Amino acid sequence: MLFLKNAEIHTMVGETIENGQILIENGKIKAIGKEVKCPEGAEVIECEGGFVMPGLIDAHSHLGMWENAMGFEGSDGNEACDPVTPHLRAIDGMNPKDEFFREALEAGVTTVASGPGSANVIGGQYAIVKTHGDRIDDMIINESFAMKCAFGENPKRVYNAQKKSPSTRMATAAILRENLAKAKEYAAKKDRANGDLEKMPAFDMKMEALERVIRKEIPLKSHAHRSDDILTSLRIAKEFDVDITLDHCTEGHLIVDYLKEGYQKGIIVGPTMSSRSKIELKNLTFDTPGILSNAGIKIAIMTDHPVIPQEYLMVCVALAARAGMKEEDALKAVTINAAEIIGIGDRVGSLEEGKDGDIVVYTGHPFDLRSQVKNVIIDGKVVK
């Protein structure tokens, strides 16, 4: 058992608990409040003067896919020789021994959604993992929670260089449509077969993966920066009646009314603490999260690690708050909002009884750059 006492507890789902206590047992939060008693034999963490909140969650990262201080040998995020690779799984390319995992953990990041990059139109399956462990299999929350797809400059650039399609936005959209249509037909054939192996379609590993999107078991995870690319991704999702999350959404502040009207899933914004390295980032601004959040849209903030190192997730949040995002909404953007958008809000993202014991203790307010991460707890174990 683990007992945190004299804590200023920011639960992310209610009022701040002053001078509160948290009891963790068997990896889960057993009790939280002002009157919780410390059981005999429990390990005690003194939190007086600190700021206690849920472990941070990055809803869009590539942690473990591009390794620290390595070139090609540690680059496993893009299989950039085929624009359609839905059968690839992040967990098969993710190295938990990468130094970036330790740096993320020590910065209070306890959960990440990590997966393929944006070279391909359909890049493969994202996973959600904790940041502590020796074996990725022991760190998994969901090994395949979303299917990465990409719009805009990246697929164009990669395949134009190879003199292959897509080299236009039209082709990117057409390739995605073609494969969603094939997956829909594949799923229909399986349904008609009704378990009869003689009538089943020939096994297709790519279609097996995309079938889960068609059946709404997992969403598309859409890489889209420019406003027209964002709207194209929504158009295709509506056409095929599939779920989708909007990731990056750099020009989301330019189309707020359309997003409010036609999209209610939540938006994952970033990486904003970076240079305008390509044309589709010319309207990059830290105003975006606040404008969308203040309009009533659920927002998560991401690093897109290694674009922004994973350890600077909270710095991104502080800068969004400085640019006009309400403080509470900004903190929710890397806790409960991030958890709910990626479908794990029942386990993490807030400090409530029954949820995973993932907690970070700061020496002061996390927006103050002088504050340090004093303790990190994952699944009820003190890992820092």
Side-chain angles (χ1 to χ4, degrees), residues 9-173:
I9 305 171
H10 297 259
T11 67
M12 298 296 121
V13 290
E15 296 294 325
T16 298
I17 303 172
E18 301 287 350
N19 196 33
Q21 280 68 242
I22 305 173
L23 176 63
I24 304 173
E25 186 174 18
N26 297 322
K28 301 288 185 180
I29 298 174
K30 185 175 182 180
I32 183 170
K34 290 188 175 183
E35 306 298 330
V36 181
K37 303 287 188 180
C38 180
E40 186 176 348
E43 180 182 355
V44 177
I45 296 179
E46 174 60 64
C47 301
E48 187 174 4
F51 187 108
V52 178
M53 64 181 291
L56 307 186
I57 301 167
D58 193 334
H60 183 121
S61 174
H62 304 289
L63 187 63
M65 308 297 290
W66 276 271
E67 295 181 44
N68 178 50
M70 294 182 70
F72 171 78
E73 294 81 3
S75 176
D76 289 295
N78 281 314
E79 185 70 16
C81 56
D82 179 352
V84 180
T85 55
H87 53 312
L88 304 185
R89 304 187 308 167
I91 60 169
D92 298 322
M94 197 180 298
N95 179 13
K97 293 295 189 181
D98 179 19
E99 183 73 3
F100 283 135
F101 270 92
R102 181 190 60 80
E103 293 179 353
L105 182 152
E106 292 185 351
V109 180
T110 56
T111 301
V112 297
S114 184
S118 50
N120 295 344
V121 178
I122 304 174
Q125 300 163 51
Y126 252 68
I128 305 172
V129 300
K130 298 289 182 80
T131 56
H132 179 256
D134 294 318
R135 185 176 68 160
I136 206 69
D137 305 72
D138 301 324
M139 301 158 66
I140 294 169
I141 294 179
N142 189 331
E143 68 178 31
S144 175
F145 86 97
M147 181 65 69
K148 180 69 178 288
C149 66
F151 295 84
E153 292 182 28
N154 287 13
K156 277 168 51 79
R157 182 186 66 254
V158 169
Y159 288 98
N160 181 63
Q162 299 180 31
K163 300 189 182 305
K164 293 167 61 175
S165 183
S167 61
T168 65
R169 281 177 164 82
M170 293 184 296
T172 296

Side-chain angles (χ1 to χ4, degrees), residues 360-382:
V360 57
V361 181
Y362 290 91
T363 58
H365 197 290
F367 290 175
D368 186 340
L369 291 178
R370 295 168 298 182
S371 295
Q372 297 180 339
V373 173
K374 177 186 174 186
N375 301 107
V376 179
I377 300 162
I378 297 180
D379 293 326
K381 297 178 181 178
V382 180

Side-chain angles (χ1 to χ4, degrees), residues 83-84 120-122 148-151 165-166 168-186 207 210 213-214 220 228-242 244:
V84 180
N120 295 344
V121 178
I122 304 174
K148 180 69 178 288
C149 66
F151 295 84
S165 183
T168 65
R169 281 177 164 82
M170 293 184 296
T172 296
I175 288 169
L176 180 58
R177 280 193 174 95
E178 177 185 19
N179 282 276
L180 289 174
K182 287 180 178 178
K184 189 174 183 179
E185 181 181 16
Y186 187 83
M207 292 302 108
L210 279 177
V213 175
I214 292 297
L220 291 172
D228 58 326
D229 292 325
I230 296 166
L231 295 172
T232 296
S233 69
L234 292 178
R235 184 184 311 121
I236 293 174
K238 182 178 180 180
E239 180 180 331
F240 285 90
D241 187 27
V242 297
I244 191 169

Side-chain angles (χ1 to χ4, degrees), residues 264-275:
Q264 303 299 324
K265 303 291 186 183
I267 293 172
I268 304 168
V269 180
T272 316
M273 199 175 75
S274 61
S275 65

